[in-house]
């Protein structure tokens, strides 16, 4: 029963995480848009809030915001916090379930650093805690009064941690932990700053005193940080499914480029919603960053770095093997698979990618990919090219010890196709 429970447990945690994230991100985007749409009204003195009218679902909504607090505490007050907490708790559970619970497959790459699963988990958790202390310290330092310098310091912190993660974990785990680090900052902002400040403001109102305006300003700044960091976090959380994003030895630089791209895209919408016009330059910056990330990924992927060697190996390949593969490479036909390819796949891949996997804990072939027959190998040739030749993402962390000459054999076959 363990493999079944493990599979379904991971799926249900991921489902919960995605649903909670949708709720949190939706609320974040909505309130940033709402803040930008506020207009001054006589009922709220200038500089202390505003009002917005909205239409949705066939009805009209009148929304008012008080920068400090209203004259009285309403009887019914909606708190927006559980979306954040549920997102982080489910994401943390998924991190433990997948990366720490299956460290040999996802967390530890012996080619990067040989560590025990316990050590890897301790480093990951310690880094998340340390990252929060550094980020929170920066926000409480004099840099808080100089937003551009604070943004630069936060950016350098992200890149530094991304680089550090890459010196310890597999490429997939390193990028995932970069996302987890930022997500921890975002929920920490809610738990340690935004909510306490709101509670203090309410307590002051109940006591008949005027709340400190600095509390609201501080909470708003942290909320803005969350808004600007949302798109990069989503990229990092999805990156595990796309090895070209994390297989480069310079993926830490990709992390930095994605943070810039996501931040400027959010800046465009935030300024536009506030009536500040269209800052089209932001899209140019975002496009340039993404293009640079793709270029780094392609140029420094394992397959690209070995291209010369693989080309030489292909030239030295037995003529019979190449002709056999080429014979089936026509459009609409299944390419032939030679014995050398089947030997590699059968030894290094088929123990997982089979109808009944032999790897402990697996109930079925990952992503439904079967590699237990020549026909199946030919069918999934594009996936083999990406996962085993271009990026070396498979076998995960090279757990079955696929040798360079075996990857070269796959490359010869794929080149001949």
């Amino acid at each position: 029963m363990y493999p079944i429970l493990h599979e379904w447990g991971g799926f249900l945690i991921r489902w919960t995480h995605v649903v909670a994230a949708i709720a949190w991100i939706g609320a974040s985007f909505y309130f940033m848009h709402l803040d930008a749409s506020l207009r001054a009204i006589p009922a709220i003195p200038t500089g202390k809030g505003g009002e917005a009218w909205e239409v949705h679902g066939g009805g009209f909504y009148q929304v008012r915001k008080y920068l400090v607090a209203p004259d009285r505490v309403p009887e019914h007050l909606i708190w927006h916090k559980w979306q954040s907490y549920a997102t982080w708790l489910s994401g943390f559970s998924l991190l433990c379930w997948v990366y720490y619970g299956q460290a040999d497959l996802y967390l530890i790459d012996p080619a990067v650093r040989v560590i025990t699963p316990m050590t890897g988990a301790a480093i990951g958790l310690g880094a998340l805690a340390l990252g929060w202390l550094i980020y929170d310290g920066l926000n409480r330092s004099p840099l808080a009064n100089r937003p551009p310098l604070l943004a630069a310091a936060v950016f350098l912190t992200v890149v530094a941690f991304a680089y550090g993660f890459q010196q310890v974990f597999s490429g997939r785990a390193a990028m995932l932990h970069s996302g987890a680090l930022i997500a921890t900052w975002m929920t920490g902002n809610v738990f340690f700053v935004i909510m306490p400040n709101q509670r203090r403001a309410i307590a002051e109102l109940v006591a008949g005193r005027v709340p400190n305006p600095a509390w609201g300003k501080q909470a708003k700044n942290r909320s803005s940080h969350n808004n600007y960091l949302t798109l990069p976090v989503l990229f990092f959380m999805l990156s595990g499914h796309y090895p070209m994003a994390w297989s480069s030895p310079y993926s830490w630089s990709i992390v930095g480029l994605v943070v810039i791209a996501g931040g400027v895209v959010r800046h465009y919408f935030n300024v536009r919603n506030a009536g500040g016009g269209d800052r089209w330059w932001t899209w140019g910056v975002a496009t340039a960053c993404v293009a640079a990330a793709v270029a780094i990924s392609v140029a420094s992927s394992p397959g690209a770095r070995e291209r010369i060697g693989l080309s030489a190996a292909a030239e030295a390949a037995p003529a019979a093997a190449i002709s056999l593969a080429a014979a089936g490479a026509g459009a609409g036909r299944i390419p032939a698979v030679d014995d050398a390819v089947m030997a590699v796949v059968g030894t290094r891949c088929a123990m997982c990618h089979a109808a009944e996997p032999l790897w402990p804990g697996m109930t079925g072939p990952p992503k439904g990919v079967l590699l237990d027959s020549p026909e199946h190998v030919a069918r999934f040739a594009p996936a083999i090219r990406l996962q085993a030749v271009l990026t070396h993402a498979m076998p995960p962390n090279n757990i079955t010890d696929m040798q360079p000459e075996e990857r070269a054999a796959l490359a010869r076959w794929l080149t001949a196709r």
Side-chain angles (χ1 to χ4, degrees), residues 10-381:
F11 182 24
L12 293 176
I13 294 173
R14 190 179 301 274
W15 186 27
T16 302
H17 183 54
V18 171
V19 171
I22 290 173
W24 186 17
I25 294 169
S28 172
F29 283 9
Y30 169 74
F31 279 106
M32 286 295 292
H33 191 175
L34 180 61
D35 281 343
S37 304
L38 293 173
R39 299 294 182 266
I41 58 173
I44 303 178
T46 302
K48 293 188 176 182
E51 178 183 83
W53 280 83
E54 302 176 282
V55 58
H56 180 76
F60 292 88
Y61 297 80
Q62 181 185 17
V63 185
R64 291 183 176 182
K65 177 181 179 178
Y66 298 83
L67 295 180
V68 180
D71 296 332
R72 62 179 182 84
V73 179
E75 296 180 0
H76 180 62
L77 185 62
I78 299 174
W79 292 80
H80 290 272
K81 57 181 179 177
W82 296 112
Q83 303 97 319
S84 172
Y85 301 162
T87 300
W88 190 88
L89 288 172
S90 58
F92 180 75
S93 299
L94 198 59
L95 176 67
C96 295
W97 192 274
V98 176
Y99 285 87
Y100 301 154
Q102 296 177 291
D104 54 345
L105 285 176
Y106 300 108
L107 182 69
I108 301 170
D109 185 349
V112 175
R113 194 164 304 275
V114 179
I115 56 177
T116 65
M118 187 66 69
T119 299
I123 292 173
L125 297 177
L128 297 184
L130 176 62
W132 163 254
L133 293 177
I134 294 174
Y135 168 78
D136 188 55
L138 289 172
N139 277 275
R140 296 181 187 278
S141 74
L143 289 177
N145 298 319
R146 306 182 70 178
L149 292 180
L150 176 60
V154 170
F155 172 77
L156 292 176
T157 301
V158 173
V159 175
F161 269 89
Y163 180 82
F165 288 139
Q166 197 167 2
Q167 309 312 305
V168 180
F169 299 141
S170 68
R172 183 198 308 252
M175 188 163 283
L176 189 282
H177 275 78
S178 297
L181 174 73
I182 299 176
T184 299
W185 294 353
M186 294 169 68
T187 293
N189 283 338
V190 176
F191 186 79
F192 292 112
V193 179
I194 297 174
M195 295 309 302
N197 284 10
Q198 289 179 346
R199 292 191 187 97
R200 284 193 287 178
I202 291 176
E204 290 293 286
L205 281 174
V206 172
R209 296 187 291 268
V210 178
N212 187 346
W215 299 340
K217 180 180 179 181
Q218 186 183 50
K220 181 64 175 65
N221 288 341
R222 296 295 185 105
S223 180
S224 296
H225 288 189
N226 286 0
N227 180 264
Y228 278 94
L229 292 171
T230 296
L231 296 184
V233 166
L234 288 175
F235 180 96
F236 302 141
M237 294 309 176
L238 294 172
S239 67
H241 302 284
Y242 301 93
M244 288 300 294
W246 49 258
S247 61
S248 165
Y250 306 106
S251 64
W252 56 269
S253 62
I254 295 177
V255 169
L257 290 167
V258 169
V259 169
I260 295 173
V264 295
V265 168
R266 284 308 308 158
H267 185 67
Y268 169 84
F269 286 105
N270 291 338
V271 173
R272 187 175 189 272
N273 292 336
D278 294 317
R279 306 293 174 88
W280 294 111
W281 60 265
T282 57
W283 292 100
V285 172
T287 300
C289 287
V290 172
V294 172
I296 292 171
S297 169
V298 172
S300 61
S301 66
R305 296 198 307 271
E306 299 173 3
R307 185 171 299 159
I308 295 177
L310 293 178
S311 297
E315 291 175 1
I322 291 182
S323 62
L324 180 62
R333 289 182 290 172
I334 298 176
V337 179
D338 57 52
D339 292 341
V341 172
M342 281 309 302
V344 173
V345 174
T347 304
R348 309 301 183 188
C349 312
M351 70 284 297
C352 295
H353 292 283
E356 296 183 3
L358 299 178
W359 195 267
M362 288 190 179
T363 58
K367 296 187 177 181
V369 175
L370 288 170
L371 299 175
D372 53 0
S373 70
E375 292 76 19
H376 288 150
V377 171
R379 176 186 175 190
F380 290 105

Side-chain angles (χ1 to χ4, degrees), residues 310 340-341 343-345 347-348 384 388-389 395 398 400-413:
L310 293 178
V341 172
V344 173
V345 174
T347 304
R348 309 301 183 188
I384 294 173
V389 176
N398 203 22
T400 59
D401 197 28
M402 183 181 287
Q403 297 298 306
E405 56 269 23
E406 293 175 319
R407 296 189 191 275
L410 297 178
R412 289 195 298 270
W413 169 60

